[in-house]
Amino acid sequence: MSPDIDADGVPDRCLSFTVKSTWGHFKRVGRSATKQTYRVPPRTTVAGMLAAIVGAERNSYYDTFGADNAAIAITPLSDIRTVNIPTVGLGTDPKQDVTTNVGNYYSEFNLTYQNTEGDRQLHAYEVLADPAYRIDVALEDNDFYEELRDHLEAGTAVYPPSLGKSEYLATIDDVQAGHPERVNADTQLDVDSVVPGSLSDTIPQSGVTYGVERSPAVMERHNGGRRTTRFDDYVYTQQADSTVQIGARTDAIPVSVESRTVVFR
Amino acid sequence: MSDRPTPDDFQRALDSYWHGRPPASLEDVMALYGVLAVAASGGSLYTTPSKLDPFVDDGRLITVSIDLTSDTAEIVDVDQDVLREDAIPKLGYSHKSSGRGAKYSLTQIGSKNGNDAEGVSSTILGRLRSWTEQDSVQSVTSDDGHPDGWLLEALASVFEKDSESLESLETELLDRLPADESLPYVMTVRLKLDPAEIESIDGTNEAWYYPADVGVLEEAMQRYATANAADKNIKKGASEGHAVGVVSGTEGRVVGTPESPLGIFSVKHPDAQPGLRKTESWRNYPVSDDVAMLFAKGQDLIERCVYRNGGMETYALPYFAGEITGEKADALYLALDSVDPEGQIGDSADPPMAQVTFHLTENDDPAIQQLAEEELRFYTITMPIGDDKHIIAEEPAASVYWPTTIAESLRETIEGPTLTPAKGGFEPFDNWPLLQLDSTDTMRARRLAYTLVTNHEFTDAVFAYRDEEGDDFRRIVDHRLLSGTPIDAHPLFEEYLQRYRDAAEGGEIPPQQLVAQQLVHLETLSRAGLLRGLDTQIDPTDATMTEPTIDTSDIESIREQRLDLFLDRPLFDDTTRKAATLAGVLVGQISWHQDSVRNVGRPLDSGTKGDQLTKNGLENVLTAALEKAKLYAQDSDQSYHRDLLFPETVDRLLEKTEEMPTDWDIDKRELRFCYVLGHAHGRRSMPVAYEMYDDGDTDTEDATAAESTAN
């Protein structure tokens, strides 16, 4: 049976697992020449990773991870640290670096292949070092959810999950099924996961550095491609062992999963 | 606008163009600056009425009246009059500053210096015609255009090249305007329209409408003004679509090549972006057309926040983390507007971040002070100056807490025992940024310290030099400190020692001030709680802080007391660290003696490079130093006190350990840093003692004379 997600976006059950890799790169929109990463995987990236595990076709799974029928919470488990890594590679721009010289107009097949003799170019990637996140996910799409659970529990995947780039293969472990419980607080709350909302919802703590970012959250198919239909702001802390402290009267609805307090979105 | 915008002006601009969320991304901050700029320039995002100021009263307004109520558009009148201030709002003028040709609005202008009749009929009228032909203007007639798009088609037919209507208009203008007098001209079109047939106007009866009153003309103007945001660096087609805007959060027209004030987004280099389809960029980076315009408008304010130094530029863009109100926007604008790009404090550059911080935190208005304390954040980005827009470090929400904490720790360190010779510390020095805050006033000293933290000098004074290649680690460290991320001690020691090597010109021993600065740096980080990887505090113990003035009647005793006070910090609770430091002190003392008393050409320390020191090397130089200490004492008639030079150092060394350095268990970097630190102290222990020596009648001559008794 699949979880039921209430009007506040709180599911009655969920799957929890840890995903980690040696590096991670979640390319930020709005940056092109400079390749920078979000500190936390966008909700859409988590959707894509889970779709890879299940083996869902490209463009087929956006509705499964909609605003109302999916709930995801992300808890960073490692200190958030980035490193700029220079990479050397060939471009793949068809006009500049890729040649088509096998086949012609009359051929049944044309082969496009890369000219490997060109000058290598230096591209620096900003990557997360040793990223690890605990993901809690609930999906109302029963088939997808059960298939996902089967794969997670069996430790299998149709396409190998990775953290952003295919070379940053991810490992998934500690899979648990859980029942989120709402947490009531009178004044303030310590949340382990990233918290949707703005810095102004947080309570300053000594020694804790909050960061904030805005990344794609929900997407849809559109004219042969896709487009984002919702972006989320969320607050995180740089240190894995510190929490986001929020007042009890913010919009975020904290729930407890395992021994953590998280906010689904 | 000569009048300063008021909080109400800012509130109006926020209501019109701000999404209402607190800023959460660089794009949000850029858009916020656009809103500030709009409020400051009169309140409109697209129209630029102030650009017509030079034409008012001195210039002429030519109004072409076109009747569009019948089947065929017809020019019914051409009128010219003096341009009055009150006519400006209805013209809906939108200035295009780049390139030649048509301005964004249907209303066009000629030269501020004036045009003659020929110029008006060819140039200005040509711009009107050119406007109707713009692809972006014509796009309102397309499927995803505007219901009143036909109106643009009608206008285009009136102004069509070689058309009868255009030619008669040209003739009319030549007849009516003075042929040999140049006047500044503004030319507009008014349209007779039937509200029943047009959606984009308000009214009930057929009447004359000016460009600002006609929705479809406004839409066309906006599309033209944002055309570049959809087709910049795209040869064919444009990147635009209908989607939820990344900043606006609402659905509408979005563009995919918006202005990027920091130059970090473009579709210009497909080779750097594998698989980039330029015309689809709006899908990943959907920016609503209004926000694209805000980005462009905010550019000047963003440029006020940059600090350039050493081949790098650091943007520190202030914003408030909460809901933005008219008052907050006003305070932010004033702070940005107050930045003096050439600002200096003492001999140091006063970077925009420091100026903004003090403008707000020391504001006369207590409400603004409180706001600054609670909500002021900086979006900081560092990248190389130039075309390479590679971002080296970035921090989305740096508060003033950490730089203030570091600055205060720096001030305490500089004013504390570490730089007080009478408390065993190094001497303060002018022109060494971390060795003296040039002020006795605490507030000013804090400000000076904050400036050092924000203008990179805090880091640059002690870290290794960098060439221009690659990421400048010093800037990465700056960003980490701004966000309160602790720095690991061992990489820090490596930087210190590398700088020590950089400073060793031609094999010379680097100046002791360099090492003193490094101790100040290390201690400051420790005080601020931003040092990790060492099990202990760096700052002196409380006993040292409160120690009464030392007895200065005897050189040996001064030396001994200073050594004890210098060593009285938790850093030296560790036996080997203390021993390594004492070894450095002794080598420094003996070398000074060789240099100053015995005129030895190559003193002991000249052959020992602190930054490359090994345990073996230390053992050799220490053995030599101990031998020399004995030898010189025996050799010298004046050493009647003991059978050894600098007995206090040797005693403490032997008290600490009888093992030789090759048996010590200590990290290589710690060993080296402790050695150079001790060496810098030891080299100066006699000179400082002479300076402090008080025999009732001290001046430099007497102090030097005292040397004979001291040895």
Side-chain angles (χ1 to χ4, degrees):
Chain A
M1 206 179 82
S2 66
D4 190 42
I5 298 170
D6 70 16
D8 291 333
V10 176
D12 60 352
R13 69 185 70 197
C14 68
L15 288 168
S16 304
F17 60 92
T18 298
V19 58
K20 59 185 167 197
S21 185
T22 45
W23 306 108
H25 177 82
F26 311 114
K27 189 174 182 303
R28 294 165 67 156
V29 305
R31 310 288 164 99
S32 56
T34 179
K35 294 165 181 56
Q36 289 175 284
T37 178
Y38 288 112
R39 271 45 176 165
V40 177
R43 192 178 179 277
T44 50
T45 302
V46 174
M49 185 172 70
L50 299 178
I53 291 171
V54 168
E57 290 295 310
R58 185 185 180 86
N59 290 339
S60 72
Y61 58 90
Y62 306 146
D63 291 345
T64 303
F65 291 89
D68 301 324
N69 59 354
I72 295 172
I74 304 171
T75 308
L77 297 182
S78 60
D79 289 352
I80 289 172
R81 186 166 64 90
T82 60
V83 184
N84 286 332
I85 296 189
T87 64
V88 185
L90 279 171
T92 51
D93 179 42
K95 291 195 193 75
Q96 294 193 23
D97 297 307
V98 180
T99 49
T100 346
N101 56 0
V102 174
N104 55 39
Y105 179 77
Y106 301 101
S107 311
E108 200 167 334
F109 297 105
N110 287 339
L111 188 62
T112 304
Y113 69 92
Q114 191 147 18
N115 174 12
T116 55
E117 290 164 359
D119 288 337
R120 266 61 180 166
Q121 296 213 345
L122 189 68
H123 299 298
Y125 279 83
E126 183 194 42
V127 298
L128 292 152
D130 294 320
Y133 304 92
R134 186 108 183 121
I135 310 275
D136 307 295
V137 58
L139 304 169
E140 287 187 340
D141 180 334
N142 192 42
D143 293 348
F144 196 108
Y145 189 73
E146 293 200 342
E147 217 169 322
L148 176 65
R149 189 183 55 207
D150 292 347
H151 274 295
L152 288 177
E153 285 173 353
T156 56
V158 176
Y159 305 109
S162 62
L163 286 186
K165 283 167 68 89
S166 58
E167 54 264 47
Y168 305 146
L169 283 177
T171 54
I172 288 179
D173 49 31
D174 195 12
V175 180
Q176 304 282 341
H179 293 271
E181 300 281 348
R182 285 188 185 231
V183 178
N184 291 312
D186 298 331
T187 51
Q188 62 190 46
L189 256 164
D190 291 300
V191 182
D192 297 284
S193 70
V194 305
V195 178
S198 79
L199 284 172
S200 58
D201 299 330
T202 61
I203 298 166
Q205 309 170 68
S206 88
V208 175
T209 306
Y210 293 121
V212 62
E213 61 188 16
R214 178 170 176 79
S215 70
V218 183
M219 54 190 172
E220 68 178 8
R221 271 197 93 153
H222 171 78
N223 286 354
R226 63 192 185 193
R227 62 181 178 184
T228 306
T229 56
R230 193 184 89 195
F231 293 88
D232 281 352
D233 296 344
Y234 47 85
V235 180
Y236 58 89
T237 64
Q238 304 246 351
Q239 304 85 5
D241 52 5
S242 54
T243 55
V244 179
Q245 207 169 74
I246 54 169
R249 294 180 62 188
T250 60
D251 292 339
I253 296 174
V255 296
S256 86
V257 178
E258 302 172 324
S259 56
R260 291 169 295 121
T261 304
V262 304
V263 178
F264 281 96
R265 61 190 170 101
Chain B
M1 287 280 292
S2 53
D3 292 340
R4 215 181 68 62
T6 64
D8 286 342
D9 292 330
F10 285 109
Q11 189 60 57
R12 267 191 296 279
L14 288 167
D15 291 344
S16 306
Y17 304 115
W18 182 241
H19 48 62
R21 291 178 294 105
S25 64
L26 177 64
E27 283 76 18
D28 279 345
V29 177
M30 296 193 308
L32 177 62
Y33 284 19
V35 174
L36 299 183
V38 163
S41 66
S44 165
L45 181 57
Y46 291 95
T47 60
T48 53
S50 61
K51 292 285 182 190
L52 294 182
D53 287 350
F55 295 83
V56 173
D57 297 334
D58 297 333
R60 299 299 179 99
L61 173 65
I62 300 171
T63 307
V64 179
S65 299
I66 302 174
D67 186 349
L68 286 174
T69 53
S70 57
D71 286 346
T72 48
E74 192 187 353
I75 297 176
V76 294
D77 184 34
V78 178
D79 176 57
Q80 63 140 339
D81 198 357
V82 175
L83 177 66
R84 304 282 178 211
E85 180 87 48
D86 58 6
I88 287 179
K90 61 188 182 186
L91 300 179
Y93 181 67
S94 176
H95 192 72
K96 176 173 184 268
S97 50
S98 60
R100 299 163 63 85
K103 306 301 180 188
Y104 295 135
S105 55
L106 178 55
T107 299
Q108 299 290 332
I109 61 170
S111 164
K112 270 185 282 198
N113 302 323
N115 293 86
D116 56 15
E118 176 61 34
V120 174
S121 72
S122 60
T123 311
I124 310 183
L125 192 55
R127 286 180 181 170
L128 252 166
R129 180 172 60 75
S130 155
W131 185 85
T132 62
E133 288 173 352
Q134 294 293 327
D135 287 347
S136 46
V137 169
Q138 281 298 318
S139 73
V140 300
T141 66
S142 68
D143 290 346
D144 65 341
H146 190 282
D148 299 331
W150 63 269
L151 205 144
L152 269 302
E153 286 169 354
L155 276 177
S157 71
V158 171
F159 293 107
E160 199 179 337
K161 199 174 182 191
D162 301 331
S163 70
E164 208 177 292
S165 49
L166 188 69
E167 277 173 11
S168 70
L169 190 54
E170 281 171 1
T171 318
E172 176 99 20
L173 288 169
L174 287 173
D175 288 350
R176 304 240 340 233
L177 304 179
D180 44 10
E181 193 185 355
S182 277
L183 291 167
Y185 285 101
V186 174
M187 192 186 287
T188 196
V189 173
R190 64 170 192 161
L191 304 172
K192 190 174 191 187
L193 299 169
D194 181 357
E197 291 172 33
I198 309 271
E199 285 187 21
S200 58
I201 52 171
D202 297 324
T204 46
N205 301 315
E206 278 184 19
W208 289 100
Y209 292 89
Y210 281 88
D213 305 324
V214 186
V216 66
L217 294 182
E218 210 182 344
E219 170 80 23
M221 175 267 283
Q222 293 182 6
R223 287 199 182 198
Y224 184 15
T226 55
N228 194 43
D231 64 11
K232 194 175 183 181
N233 294 315
I234 298 178
K235 280 204 189 84
K236 197 171 163 229
S239 177
E240 57 186 328
H242 192 83
V244 174
V246 63
V247 173
S248 66
T250 54
E251 203 168 325
R253 176 172 176 256
V254 294
V255 292
T257 63
E259 188 67 50
S260 177
L262 270 55
I264 53 180
F265 181 86
S266 83
V267 295
K268 194 176 181 181
H269 299 289
D271 54 314
Q273 301 174 70
L276 174 73
R277 284 177 293 161
K278 291 180 172 189
T279 53
E280 300 295 317
S281 63
W282 63 271
R283 289 181 187 273
N284 276 330
Y285 188 42
V287 175
S288 76
D289 41 14
D290 281 4
V291 171
M293 202 69 193
L294 288 174
F295 286 174
K297 292 252 169 177
Q299 250 166 328
D300 292 348
L301 286 176
I302 288 171
E303 209 47 38
R304 298 196 77 90
C305 303
V306 67
Y307 174 64
R308 296 193 170 91
N309 160 284
M312 293 285 154
E313 51 191 10
T314 295
Y315 288 87
L317 309 173
Y319 66 94
F320 293 115
E323 187 195 344
I324 306 293
T325 61
E327 279 78 18
K328 290 184 195 175
D330 184 45
L332 186 59
Y333 182 78
L334 283 178
L336 289 168
D337 202 41
S338 75
V339 172
D340 170 11
E342 305 293 319
Q344 290 249 320
I345 178 162
D347 291 332
S348 296
D350 194 9
M353 181 170 177
Q355 293 187 42
V356 167
T357 301
F358 287 102
H359 180 93
L360 292 166
T361 56
E362 293 174 6
N363 203 287
D364 292 337
D365 182 348
I368 289 176
Q369 278 187 32
Q370 192 190 350
L371 177 68
E373 201 173 297
E374 289 170 0
E375 291 193 9
L376 178 61
R377 297 287 186 283
F378 288 87
Y379 201 110
T380 64
I381 284 187
T382 294
M383 53 187 153
I385 298 171
D387 292 338
D388 176 12
K389 291 304 178 187
H390 166 62
I391 289 180
I392 287 167
E394 175 170 1
E395 194 51 53
S399 72
V400 296
Y401 175 81
W402 286 111
T404 306
T405 304
I406 299 168
E408 184 59 6
S409 302
L410 177 61
R411 187 189 68 79
E412 283 173 21
T413 306
I414 291 177
E415 293 174 0
T418 300
L419 290 182
T420 309
K423 291 185 173 172
F426 290 93
E427 302 138 284
F429 276 92
D430 288 342
N431 300 324
W432 292 82
L434 305 190
L435 296 187
Q436 191 153 43
L437 289 176
D438 200 11
S439 177
T440 47
D441 171 50
T442 305
M443 283 305 289
R444 186 169 158 82
R446 279 194 181 130
R447 186 166 179 161
L448 284 163
Y450 192 93
T451 303
L452 292 173
V453 172
T454 49
N455 74 5
H456 310 326
E457 284 194 67
F458 178 65
T459 307
D460 289 356
V462 296
F463 270 53
Y465 292 132
R466 292 293 191 290
D467 56 16
E468 306 225 337
E469 299 284 310
D471 289 3
D472 190 332
F473 182 60
R474 297 173 298 181
R475 300 292 79 82
I476 295 174
V477 165
D478 283 346
H479 282 253
R480 287 189 186 158
L481 291 178
L482 284 183
S483 70
T485 308
I487 306 295
D488 199 85
H490 290 105
L492 208 53
F493 288 149
E494 243 162 60
E495 288 289 336
Y496 291 165
L497 291 162
Q498 180 60 48
R499 174 59 171 269
Y500 191 82
R501 189 173 316 165
D502 293 345
E505 290 168 44
E508 292 282 304
I509 302 269
Q512 43 103 12
Q513 289 94 331
L514 178 73
V515 181
Q517 289 203 116
Q518 295 180 337
L519 180 61
V520 168
H521 187 263
L522 190 72
E523 184 180 325
T524 300
L525 291 180
S526 173
R527 278 176 192 270
L530 290 174
L531 185 68
R532 69 169 173 217
L534 271 187
D535 47 5
T536 181
Q537 294 286 109
I538 305 301
D539 39 312
T541 60
D542 293 345
T544 307
M545 312 286 281
T546 54
E547 195 78 19
T549 329
I550 61 178
D551 171 18
T552 56
S553 61
D554 169 318
I555 292 284
E556 269 199 21
S557 143
I558 297 174
R559 252 177 24 216
E560 181 164 1
Q561 293 173 81
R562 284 195 65 240
L563 183 62
D564 282 336
L565 290 168
F566 176 65
L567 295 171
D568 185 19
R569 49 179 88 217
L571 177 66
F572 299 128
D573 288 350
D574 178 273
T575 304
T576 40
R577 269 189 224 134
K578 189 168 191 167
T581 307
L582 280 163
V585 172
L586 186 65
V587 173
Q589 286 174 325
I590 297 291
S591 303
W592 174 85
H593 181 81
Q594 291 178 316
D595 239 1
S596 313
V597 181
R598 304 183 76 93
N599 290 320
V600 175
R602 280 179 50 81
L604 202 51
D605 58 8
S606 65
T608 310
K609 291 190 169 64
D611 55 290
Q612 292 166 28
L613 194 68
T614 58
K615 287 178 188 171
N616 261 326
L618 181 60
E619 186 155 322
N620 290 339
V621 70
L622 181 59
T623 312
L626 288 164
E627 279 169 9
K628 302 274 185 216
K630 264 189 213 164
L631 190 69
Y632 292 157
Q634 287 166 4
D635 200 25
S636 166
D637 299 338
Q638 286 126 358
S639 304
Y640 50 84
H641 277 121
R642 293 276 293 264
D643 53 355
L644 182 77
L645 289 188
F646 310 108
E648 75 282 3
T649 313
V650 177
D651 284 352
R652 277 160 191 73
L653 184 59
L654 295 178
E655 262 166 43
K656 236 10 212 181
T657 177
E658 298 204 344
E659 286 180 350
M660 286 306 275
T662 41
D663 295 325
W664 293 354
D665 179 22
I666 184 170
D667 179 272
K668 186 174 69 188
R669 295 161 294 191
E670 276 183 41
L671 175 81
R672 289 173 180 172
F673 181 69
C674 287
Y675 169 82
V676 300
L677 188 58
H679 174 264
H681 199 269
R683 259 280 181 176
R684 295 290 299 167
S685 76
M686 286 302 286
V688 172
Y690 289 145
E691 275 165 31
M692 292 175 62
Y693 177 61
D694 183 13
D695 61 355
D697 179 31
T698 18
D699 63 20
T700 319
E701 302 299 322
D702 290 347
T704 314
E707 182 189 320
S708 46
T709 51
N711 286 312

